[in-house]
Amino acid sequence: MNNSNQLVCTFVSKKKLDTNSVVNFFSKIQNTNHFEILSSRALDLYCDPFNKINEKKLRKFCLKKKIDICIQKIKFRKKKLFFSDMDATIIHNETLDDLVKIAGIKIDIEKTTKLAMEGKIGLRETLKLRVNYLKGKNISLISKVLKNIKFRDGASVLVKTLNRNDYHSVLITGGFQPISTYVAKYLGFKKHVSNKFVTKNGKFTGDYIPITGHKNSKLFYLNKVCNEMKISKIKDVISIGDGSNDLKMLKASGLGIGFMAHKIIQENIKNQIRFTDLRTVLFYLGFKEKEFIY
Ligand SMILES: [Mg+2]
């Protein structure tokens, strides 16, 4: 295992992993020189780099078997910084849509958000539009959104385990404070970055203060944190997200993971979580299940 290009392929299934069928299929396309059982449902196979055709075959096999797979270089596996999207990633909700609905505004907001997350319409424009619907509504409506927040399975153990292992965890969202503040605190993120509503006399003005003035706020912020921490994006960063506004951040990270993602992320990011939950991120990073902090 001296080859610095050595790969590790991680396989994760929802229930017990059929390791025999994985190893059998794998042996047809590549020799494996080492394996590691991470849990009854997660396995690492180490190997030399393989060609694109074989990688495609392997990914197709996993898709058919409903197994999540991550392929990465061993030498960059350990990371230092975790960047996570919020809406539809670390929680089930799209919180701005929830807020607009709770405010009683009757528009097909989910459809607009879906198109924006697929990169088919401008994100910034739709965000502006959605915030504008709230103009004149009472900010106390936010407390109702907080009550309806549903965390994704594995969210808490993921953040706790990373924190305990000296990762710097950042929640970055096109969503809004104080919703992101609540989510970040509840899960234990060390930092959170989000948009802010402009309010006056307890009411929304219909305006907001964006994370940054930049088009790709998440990537901009990732660069900023990496500079501050003096770390490398390719070596040290793992990030996760589901929508078009996460794409640049995921692409720039050493390990960018699509989570239950929109098509644009599925088509442009190789490593995905489709069938399991957020604990799979820990397996991708090489943690064994017995090391998870609950
Ligand atoms: Mg999202």
Side-chain angles (χ1 to χ4, degrees), residues 37 73 119 125 134 154 156 160 166 170 182 191 212 216 277:
I37 292 166
K73 284 186 183 171
E125 294 73 28
L134 296 168
S156 171
K160 269 189 198 162
D166 297 325
V170 179
Y182 168 81
K191 191 172 187 152
T212 67
N216 296 297
D277 62 41

Side-chain angles (χ1 to χ4, degrees), residues 79-134:
K79 303 281 190 277
K80 290 177 182 161
L81 175 64
F82 171 57
F83 254 59
S84 176
D85 170 46
M86 182 176 80
D87 289 334
T89 296
I90 213 88
I91 58 175
H92 283 266
N93 316 60
E94 284 286 351
T95 48
L96 182 57
D97 292 4
D98 289 0
L99 184 58
V100 170
K101 273 189 262 172
I102 285 168
I105 295 145
K106 303 249 183 293
I107 49 155
D108 194 353
I109 198 142
E110 278 155 355
K111 195 178 165 194
T112 314
T113 304
K114 195 168 178 278
L115 288 172
M117 285 304 157
E118 284 170 356
K120 290 179 180 160
I121 53 174
L123 197 76
R124 193 156 282 211
E125 294 73 28
T126 62
L127 192 66
K128 224 172 157 183
L129 200 72
R130 282 179 285 163
V131 176
N132 204 260
Y133 286 127
L134 296 168

